Amino acid sequence: MGITLTRKHVSNLAKLDFAGLTHAQRLDHIAAVLGYANQASMMATLKAEEQPVAAAPAAEPVTVLMAFGTGMTNALDLGFEATISDDTDGEIVEKTFATPAEANAYLEGVADMDGWMCYAVAACNTPGDTVSPEFFTARKEEPTLDFAAWHNRKVAEAELEDDDGDLDP
């Protein structure tokens, strides 16, 4: 509302005698008590203030890829292929959240969890995050890209560079 409604305004409204007045006349009296010149200016102000506020654009969803299990987290940490076999345990889990706050709550919960004692954030696309953001860039070009396949491709590329002697020891 254009003015702050006070106890004095309410008291003055209660004292108004509307007997025999038309609707427009009653509104003029209410407008005068509230400090408006007339009912037209009061109603125009109220109409303008009742316009819906444009909703903020929806934020891009946040995707978190988690590695669980000793075998999987070791493979990622040490730069080995991310494969699941009888010799290794683990998996990659992808979760999507509507906001960064939801993703952070999930990550805090995982940090406090029991069960899988080894875990790592394999990739996350929250703004400013540095954990494998290139995976999400690659997935924009190849929408069905699996994290393990992408990671294994990176490991193979690194091994080729190492074999060619392009990398420093």
Side-chain angles (χ1 to χ4, degrees):
M1 203 148 109
I3 65 165
T4 302
L5 189 62
T6 65
R7 290 184 300 158
K8 182 178 180 182
H9 290 131
V10 172
S11 179
N12 287 340
L13 286 169
K15 294 176 187 173
L16 290 176
D17 180 13
F18 291 129
L21 298 178
T22 65
H23 180 73
Q25 290 170 327
R26 290 191 304 262
L27 288 176
D28 275 332
H29 279 72
I30 292 170
V33 168
L34 296 177
Y36 291 95
N38 56 39
Q39 60 92 14
S41 64
M42 177 181 72
M43 295 306 264
T45 301
L46 294 174
K47 181 179 180 181
E49 291 176 0
E50 291 173 358
Q51 296 302 316
V53 177
E60 184 176 330
V62 176
T63 302
V64 177
L65 285 103
M66 296 293 297
F68 291 103
T70 305
M72 188 61 69
T73 56
N74 285 342
L76 295 178
D77 288 342
L78 299 174
F80 299 137
E81 286 192 3
T83 57
I84 298 173
S85 67
D86 293 338
D87 298 333
T88 62
D89 68 311
E91 64 181 322
I92 300 287
V93 176
E94 181 173 337
K95 299 277 188 179
T96 303
F97 302 93
T99 66
E102 290 177 12
N104 289 336
Y106 169 76
L107 293 171
E108 287 178 28
V110 169
D112 293 339
M113 74 169 185
D114 290 322
W116 290 101
M117 299 314 285
C118 283
Y119 71 92
V121 178
C124 188
N125 71 341
T126 55
D129 202 325
T130 58
V131 183
S132 297
E134 62 272 9
F135 167 72
F136 293 101
T137 304
R139 191 157 75 176
K140 283 182 182 176
E141 296 171 13
E142 191 179 334
T144 59
L145 182 62
D146 174 72
F147 179 82
W150 173 82
H151 174 78
N152 295 345
R153 202 180 308 159
K154 299 293 278 182
V155 169
E157 289 170 4
E159 287 175 359
L160 282 176
E161 288 178 9
D162 207 15
D163 290 343
D164 292 342
D166 294 339
L167 295 178
D168 293 332

